[in-house]
Amino acid sequence: MTNALIRTPGTTSAKPLERSPETAEEILSRAGEALPVLRERAAAVEENRHLPSDVVELLRGIGAFRAAMPKEWGGPELTSMQQAELVEILATGDPSTAWCAMIGMDSGIYSGYLADEAAREFFPRLDMVSAGWIYPQGRAERVPGGYKVSGHWRFGSGCTHTDVLVGGCQVYKDGEPEPDPVTGGPLQWRVMVARPDQFRILDTWFTTGLAGSGSRDYTAEDLFVPEEHSFSFQEPVRAGLLHASPDAILRKMSGVPLGMARAALDHVRDMAAHRADRETGTPWTTDVRVQSAIARAEAELAAARAGVYSSLETQWRALERGDELSADQRVATALARHHAFRTARSIVHSLFDLVGGASVYRNKSPMDRWLRDANTMCQHAVAQDSILQLTGQVLLGGKSLSPFF
């Protein structure tokens, strides 16, 4: 494995990790042990605008990128619940780093949609990183043996350190949209898989929050992609619960806002032990206003977290039994995810206000960074109110307009 390091809390020394983690328990444990380093590096990650190489190697040593790799390859193949927990732990250290880990571990999921030869070509090792925007923003013109691909994709989180870069495309044949052979729909959506050096990566990620995620734009023009280097979420090659429903790549996303809100709450609770109200001199630990704000935030976070993990568990167990998911089960994870993002943002906002003027100093308080991270992550499609309309339509007996539920 790579020479990944974990620093001892409170020191600058580091110890090499002697072997790669093989189980979910080992990966989750290593993630917890790495939190002091992630917190120490968070400001530098943000300033860098993408993950520094030492943070990438730290994630590799934790086992974050191998989390979804199949057991038949020797991978740990974490469940969706375990993947979400891993991302949640990392996000208490730094949300940008957790966001990149969340995207990077899709390698194991993508591998299940590729034929074995192509999958092993792109992922010859368990700790390979993936990145890319899967929605069909590009155009794939069918040619003999594959596709000529052109497009401009945004939000390529982790594209600065990835091993594999993907781009979603609409398929055309002879200049006309090609129908989907599985669904019969008028448009065919395929994900093109290639190396990052086959694309042009643009330095566009100048943003208020999640600045360290390196979510840059990238483009391609007439890039030839062999047929076997593309896939449809409608056609998994490998059987398994991470491929039984197309939303597998989204299930773990809630870990980022949940971990961020947890970190903010812990920070303010620790602060309360040494702080008093400026006007009254009342210690924060006995201030009714502070007590109520903390209790309310804890209750909101606990409820949002329970919704995420209970919906994941219910869906996972149904898939294990081979049951066809009901309408409620299909949309429950999407609703819980939307609620987690919005609730976490609300919690961070309320705590930012509670702390007051001390929150605004970037070099003294992480509150400013969490506030900006919270606002930026809620601009992702999964946290938008359109999700409520789409899921509500399904709950009222309508047909889903999303491929993910």
Side-chain angles (χ1 to χ4, degrees), residues 129-335:
V129 186
S130 63
W133 183 248
I134 61 170
Y135 281 93
Q137 297 296 307
R139 179 186 179 107
E141 184 74 30
R142 188 176 289 280
V143 296
Y147 307 90
K148 279 289 185 71
V149 175
S150 298
H152 186 139
W153 297 267
R154 298 185 299 161
F155 307 119
S157 304
C159 66
T160 57
H161 61 262
T162 194
D163 299 303
V164 176
L165 191 55
V166 305
C169 289
Q170 182 177 329
V171 177
Y172 288 77
K173 184 177 182 180
D174 298 326
E176 298 293 329
E178 185 173 275
D180 191 298
V182 177
T183 67
L187 305 177
Q188 182 180 170
W189 169 24
R190 292 190 72 80
V191 178
M192 304 293 150
V193 186
R195 304 293 181 193
D197 59 8
Q198 295 178 276
F199 296 88
R200 182 185 178 202
I201 297 176
L202 310 175
D203 190 7
T204 54
W205 193 241
F206 296 89
T207 182
T208 56
L210 292 180
S213 66
S215 304
R216 300 179 178 184
D217 292 15
Y218 57 105
T219 66
E221 185 173 354
D222 292 332
L223 170 65
F224 176 70
V225 175
E227 176 74 37
E228 62 271 20
H229 291 180
S230 72
F231 68 85
S232 165
F233 283 110
Q234 302 294 334
E235 300 177 286
V237 173
R238 186 188 307 120
L241 299 188
L242 291 177
H243 311 101
S245 178
D247 74 334
I249 62 170
L250 304 179
R251 294 179 198 155
K252 60 194 179 302
M253 287 188 71
S254 301
V256 180
L258 292 177
M260 174 191 64
R262 179 72 267 159
L265 256 167
D266 289 346
H267 173 74
V268 176
R269 287 177 63 177
D270 289 343
M271 177 187 296
H274 311 286
R275 188 162 179 167
D277 184 82
R278 183 173 54 196
E279 281 77 23
T280 67
T282 304
W284 266 28
T285 53
T286 60
D287 190 314
V288 173
R289 176 180 65 93
V290 177
Q291 292 171 340
S292 298
I294 294 297
R296 185 179 302 110
E298 286 286 2
E300 291 171 352
L301 180 57
R305 189 174 190 274
V308 166
Y309 285 99
S310 65
S311 64
L312 287 174
E313 182 84 20
T314 297
Q315 188 183 83
W316 189 267
R317 298 310 168 207
L319 293 172
E320 275 188 323
R321 296 190 299 269
D323 295 349
E324 183 175 349
L325 297 179
S326 67
D328 283 25
Q329 289 171 331
R330 284 191 288 120
V331 304
T333 53
L335 286 172

Side-chain angles (χ1 to χ4, degrees), residues 73 110-111 113-124 164 193 195 226-230:
W73 286 8
Y110 292 155
S111 72
Y113 287 93
L114 295 167
D116 191 67
E117 182 177 352
R120 292 182 183 274
E121 176 184 343
F122 280 109
F123 306 110
V164 176
V193 186
R195 304 293 181 193
E227 176 74 37
E228 62 271 20
H229 291 180
S230 72

Side-chain angles (χ1 to χ4, degrees), residues 30-115:
R30 287 192 182 185
E33 292 170 4
L35 288 180
V37 183
L38 294 180
R39 290 167 183 152
E40 174 190 322
R41 297 289 284 142
V45 167
E46 178 175 58
E47 184 177 356
N48 200 48
R49 295 191 300 111
H50 61 85
L51 295 194
S53 59
D54 66 305
V55 176
V56 175
E57 292 310 306
L58 178 62
L59 290 176
R60 209 184 301 272
I62 287 169
F65 300 133
R66 66 171 50 203
M69 282 296 184
K71 290 182 179 178
E72 64 188 82
W73 286 8
E77 199 169 339
L78 272 62
T79 68
S80 292
M81 295 80 78
Q82 292 166 335
Q83 289 179 42
E85 184 179 358
L86 171 59
V87 173
E88 183 180 10
I89 292 170
L90 295 172
T92 65
D94 175 49
S96 284
T97 300
W99 192 272
C100 288
M102 178 266 296
I103 297 290
M105 69 178 71
D106 282 336
S107 298
I109 297 176
Y110 292 155
S111 72
Y113 287 93
L114 295 167

